[in-house]
Amino acid sequence: MAEQVKVLGSWGSPFSKRVELALKLKCVNYECIEQDLANKSQLLLDYNPVHKKIPVLIHNGKPIVESLVILEYIDETWRHNSIFPHDPYEKAMARFWAKFIDEKCNEGVWKIMWCKEEERGKLVEEVLQHFGTLEGQLKDKKFFGGEEIGMVDIAANFIGYWLGLVQEAIGMELVTRDKFPVLCRWMDEFVGHSVVKPILPPRDELLAIFKARFNATAWEY
Amino acid sequence: MSGEEKVVLHGMWASPYAKRVEIALKLKGIPYEYVEEDLLNGKSEALLKHNPVHQKVPVLVHNGKPVIESCIILEYIDETWKSSGHALFPQEDTYRRARVRFWADFIQRQLLEKFIVTITAVGEAREEAIKELRKNMELLEEGLRVNFFPEGIPQYHFDDQKNVRFLDITMCAFFGLHKAQSEFVRTTEIIDLQRTPLVFSWVESLKEVPVVKEVLPPHDEVVNLLRGFRQNAVGSSPQV
């Protein structure tokens, strides 16, 4: 049976792009079906009835949801070009850092984007600490995965590309070259990677959306 | 497995996350040393050294190397001790593995964490959390039926410990105490026999598994602990 791989995603979503990146790294052909999140399709509601969110990977008609779960599925199903370490301990570490990125870094930035002014200082202090912890994992490695992109790099994609645009849109610098030189060096490597670069959403369009969203909520500094 | 293996589990008597790991280690027959951590009055130096990022339990230290986060530890245990006991995860079927991971994440974020909000929040936030917890338990009922037990749970199913696996452990380590937890949610049972019969029978049968029975803390101690948390939450707020 010819393999059928579809991704229900959204052009600007980092979670969607995680899935696409993993599939591209594994040279798996897929069809991307763009979803309108303001007007969810029946397809999305059928394949992700619990959360009704993207991304959804549909493999030969069977849906897999939640981006980190999808990454594990992709690595276990198409075993070449591993994105996870083979050693169980290193694999556990990769899983830990992917979760840390989502729960502490990404979630931290999200809270800052939408918080009240009086809460901002403390939230910024916390998230900067988390970025410092994450940066400590890089040391002198090119990527979190070593010489090549791995699961943790894919999980950190929001930091790699979207974060810079969010910072520009809200007029706030969280990760700067002088404070986080190693992380910024990683960001350059990440967005310049031959598989990552072509699938990144267009900068200007994404920035325009962020700016419009934040102007609408009258964010003030 | 060599005779040099050293496994240490840093846990806490009431932590469902630590209980998950204990159940897994016991099911697989892996010898380990247990260190009870006093999380309020002084975490051990070993804990702080092995989990500097979160400073929480559980931490599994295997031959000096720490593994953190209960679900990650369970995957690590299953991958490292392949020939000990039975497999905790589906082995060949990657789609089933994805389903198991999805529902484990659901149990964690949509059930366990929502329950914690019902204890620590007051007023409208608490009412909202109670409603969501009930709705999510019904989603679990459906998910369980569609994905894992379409014919219901066979009688004596968990008498064979080999049938106790990752998702079962993830659920029963916390919701095995649903009767104690229900005392704090006022008008509703956390796991309602009428509304969620499959979840109810799942948890009730898992509670009877000898290893689970041995590991779960006593009902009354859990009630006291939750009462303490609830009093803290209510005490610091004009709302209830």
Side-chain angles (χ1 to χ4, degrees), chain B residues 1-36:
Chain B
M1 192 173 74
S2 82
E4 304 279 326
E5 290 278 1
K6 190 169 152 95
V7 180
V8 180
L9 172 63
H10 292 259
M12 186 257 180
W13 71 269
S15 161
Y17 308 109
K19 296 301 173 185
R20 285 173 179 168
V21 179
E22 278 198 87
I23 293 169
L25 289 168
K26 286 186 191 292
L27 282 173
K28 300 244 326 155
I30 298 163
Y32 64 98
E33 178 195 328
Y34 178 78
V35 174
E36 174 72 14

Side-chain angles (χ1 to χ4, degrees), chain B residues 52-198:
Chain B
V53 175
H54 296 309
Q55 301 182 3
K56 285 181 177 174
V57 296
V59 180
L60 186 81
V61 186
H62 180 207
N63 294 335
K65 296 204 281 193
V67 187
I68 315 163
E69 306 268 334
S70 62
C71 291
I72 294 174
I73 296 173
L74 260 55
E75 294 221 43
Y76 175 79
I77 287 172
D78 211 40
E79 287 163 7
T80 303
W81 286 278
K82 276 189 175 322
S83 49
S84 299
H86 61 276
L88 301 178
F89 281 80
Q91 293 296 287
E92 296 308 319
D93 186 343
T94 57
Y95 182 67
R96 197 171 174 84
R97 284 169 75 88
R99 297 269 87 200
V100 162
R101 288 190 177 112
F102 172 83
W103 285 105
D105 180 70
F106 185 88
I107 286 166
Q108 177 60 34
R109 290 199 286 155
Q110 310 304 337
L111 293 173
L112 198 157
E113 287 176 16
K114 288 281 180 241
F115 172 76
I116 289 173
V117 176
T118 70
I119 294 291
T120 56
V122 290
E124 234 183 270
R126 178 173 140 91
E127 294 308 316
E128 193 54 42
I130 293 174
K131 272 197 210 124
E132 279 184 50
L133 181 58
R134 183 191 295 185
K135 183 191 98 190
N136 292 342
M137 204 58 84
E138 288 171 12
L139 286 170
L140 176 64
E141 174 83 7
E142 174 75 5
L144 213 57
R145 192 181 53 76
V146 166
N147 293 284
F148 304 106
F149 297 112
E151 316 283 322
I153 301 173
Q155 208 179 14
Y156 312 121
H157 180 69
F158 293 116
D159 280 14
D160 182 356
Q161 282 195 160
K162 288 196 188 56
N163 289 328
V164 180
R165 291 188 277 258
F166 175 67
L167 203 60
D168 310 291
I169 299 169
T170 302
M171 184 70 177
C172 76
F174 186 72
F175 288 106
L177 296 152
H178 68 102
K179 296 203 168 150
Q181 292 150 5
S182 292
E183 294 195 19
F184 296 90
V185 190
R186 272 187 309 176
T187 55
T188 185
E189 295 293 319
I190 301 264
I191 300 178
D192 186 302
L193 172 59
Q194 252 69 55
R195 258 200 305 272
T196 54
L198 189 57

Side-chain angles (χ1 to χ4, degrees), chain A residues 185-202:
Chain A
R185 192 255 304 144
W186 170 81
M187 284 157 74
D188 293 339
E189 292 282 2
F190 181 77
V191 299
H193 188 280
S194 59
V195 180
V196 174
K197 198 168 173 181
I199 65 169
L200 291 174

Side-chain angles (χ1 to χ4, degrees), chain A residues 63 66 76-77 89 95 99, chain B residues 66 69 94 97 101 109:
Chain A
E66 304 279 319
E76 289 168 356
T77 304
Y89 183 75
R95 286 178 176 134
K99 211 165 172 243
Chain B
E69 306 268 334
T94 57
R97 284 169 75 88
R101 288 190 177 112
R109 290 199 286 155

Side-chain angles (χ1 to χ4, degrees), chain A residues 139-179:
Chain A
K139 300 178 188 116
D140 52 3
K141 291 187 293 185
K142 189 175 179 188
F143 296 110
F144 290 100
E147 271 308 297
E148 245 314 326
I149 277 188
M151 156 66 158
V152 179
D153 302 278
I154 300 173
N157 70 338
F158 174 83
I159 299 168
Y161 182 68
W162 280 256
L163 179 60
L165 299 175
V166 165
Q167 289 180 163
E168 201 175 316
I170 67 176
M172 179 181 214
E173 288 198 319
L174 293 168
V175 173
T176 56
R177 238 164 249 285
D178 53 289
K179 276 198 239 137

Side-chain angles (χ1 to χ4, degrees), chain A residues 26 30 34 36 38 42 46 60 62 76 83-84 98 106 120 132 137 139 144 184 196 199-200 202 214 221:
Chain A
K26 299 246 182 198
Y30 64 94
E34 181 69 18
D36 177 356
Q42 198 53 50
D46 287 344
N60 295 335
K62 296 201 275 197
E76 289 168 356
I83 55 176
F84 275 87
N106 293 350
R120 199 173 298 139
Q137 287 309 298
K139 300 178 188 116
F144 290 100
C184 287
V196 174
I199 65 169
L200 291 174
F214 292 114
Y221 255 98

